Amino acid sequence: GGLGDYLGQYPDACTEALAQIQVYAEELVVANEELRLTNEELNAARKIAEEERERYYDLFDTAPEGYLVTDRSGTILEANNAVATLLAIHKDSLQGRNILHFAPEEQLPEIRARMTRARMTRAARMKHKQSFESELRPVMEEPVCVSMSVVGVRTGEGGDVSLHWMVQDISERKQVEKDLQLARLNQELASAHREANLYLDILTHDIRNTENVSNLYAELLADKLQGEAAQYMENLQQSIRKSIEILSMVSTIRRVHRAKSILKPVGL
């Protein structure tokens, strides 16, 4: 009864209050609609972000080259399937290990220097990728020749620097290079061998001609000598004949080495 009497006494105030309430109600409806649209946009953006994140990890995991993310000291934070296969260990087991544990002792100083340089260049806001060749030692397997690239990446504004690595297996390329180098050395050796044989043929031929001439003059001179001088000449002729035999023996040995022998069983 008291509220009715009050409303009866102040009809204008009641109308104004009702109108204000109506305005607030309409504003609340509009605000709720805007909030609903904002939530839908946020959900859509979150869904897109999740899809992009899944796509990134799919690309990261299925990449043909090995990828690693480590902290500034080299502790592995993320690894993909390719580098896990290369190191003969499951990628989940790589997390928490240090990449330096897979490097040979003699190459640790250079890898540490590359890591320091990557951190410094990123701290100076310069993104510089360093590439170098090294070896990595898989678990219980032979060392693998790899090409490695490392770059420093800062996480967020004022965040710490992480190191991103790309690892490529170049064992086959190194083997091909070694084979090519060996083939080139064999070719150079064969060329040097042919040249040496040519010089030896010329030298042997000239020495044989000189000895034949010397032997001829010795025979002519021997007919005119007597006594002790004749004995000396006989010794000289024997020495010349011995030299001719040595040259003949050398020529025979060289022919045996150059000839392609066909071996077959014979009855003793």
Side-chain angles (χ1 to χ4, degrees):
L3 179 60
D5 295 340
Y6 176 81
L7 293 177
Q9 294 176 4
Y10 302 99
D12 294 337
C14 181
T15 302
E16 183 178 353
L18 291 175
Q20 190 65 37
I21 291 173
Q22 182 66 27
V23 171
Y24 288 156
E26 292 175 354
E27 291 179 352
L28 184 59
V29 170
V30 172
N32 286 335
E33 182 65 18
E34 292 178 350
L35 182 60
R36 184 184 66 79
L37 293 176
T38 302
N39 287 334
E40 290 179 356
E41 292 174 354
L42 288 175
N43 290 333
R46 187 179 297 109
K47 183 179 179 181
I48 292 174
E50 288 295 330
E51 291 175 350
E52 289 297 321
R53 183 173 180 275
E54 291 179 3
R55 179 172 173 272
Y56 161 76
Y57 277 109
D58 287 341
L59 291 174
F60 182 80
D61 281 336
T62 59
E65 306 298 344
Y67 289 98
L68 288 168
V69 179
T70 70
D71 63 10
R72 58 189 297 115
S73 64
T75 301
I76 298 173
L77 305 176
E78 296 181 54
N80 71 345
N81 290 322
V83 76
T85 302
L86 181 67
L87 296 176
I89 185 172
H90 194 274
K91 66 175 185 177
D92 293 338
S93 299
L94 278 174
Q95 295 182 9
R97 294 173 178 254
N98 198 295
I99 190 174
L100 298 176
H101 294 167
F102 297 96
E105 187 70 26
E106 64 273 10
Q107 294 180 341
L108 290 179
E110 180 181 359
I111 296 178
R112 287 194 179 100
R114 300 278 184 175
M115 292 168 60
T116 301
R117 197 172 303 141
R119 293 194 300 264
M120 293 176 60
T121 53
R122 190 57 198 162
R125 300 188 181 279
M126 295 184 299
K127 197 170 184 178
H128 175 64
K129 182 176 72 173
Q130 302 178 72
S131 298
F132 59 99
E133 293 183 359
S134 180
E135 278 189 352
L136 291 180
R137 298 183 182 275
V139 178
M140 301 180 67
E141 292 189 10
E142 293 297 320
V144 179
C145 294
V146 295
S147 174
M148 304 180 71
S149 300
V150 57
V151 61
V153 177
R154 186 177 296 281
T155 306
E157 186 64 28
D160 200 3
V161 175
S162 61
L163 302 179
H164 291 213
W165 305 75
M166 184 177 73
V167 184
Q168 295 175 295
D169 185 354
I170 58 172
S171 299
E172 292 185 3
R173 193 191 80 189
K174 283 294 184 181
Q175 186 60 46
V176 170
E177 291 177 355
K178 187 182 296 184
D179 293 342
L180 290 175
Q181 184 178 11
L182 182 60
R184 184 168 58 252
L185 290 176
N186 288 335
Q187 186 177 3
E188 293 175 356
L189 181 61
S191 177
H193 183 66
R194 288 193 300 269
E195 187 175 356
N197 280 334
L198 175 61
Y199 292 151
L200 189 57
D201 287 339
I202 294 174
L203 191 61
T204 302
H205 180 268
D206 291 346
I207 291 175
R208 183 182 291 111
N209 287 342
T210 302
E211 287 181 340
N212 288 333
V213 172
S214 298
N215 190 44
L216 178 62
Y217 280 111
E219 290 178 353
L220 294 175
L221 188 57
D223 295 337
K224 299 180 180 180
L225 297 177
Q226 294 180 355
E228 188 176 2
Q231 184 60 44
Y232 288 156
M233 179 56 65
E234 176 63 24
N235 293 340
L236 176 60
Q237 286 179 302
Q238 288 181 3
S239 178
I240 293 175
R241 286 193 293 270
K242 184 64 175 178
S243 179
I244 293 174
E245 290 176 2
I246 292 173
L247 280 179
S248 177
M249 186 183 302
V250 170
S251 297
T252 301
I253 292 174
R254 294 184 62 233
R255 283 198 303 271
V256 168
H257 281 291
R258 285 187 294 186
K260 293 183 179 179
S261 303
I262 299 177
L263 304 179
K264 60 182 180 180
V266 296
L268 296 179

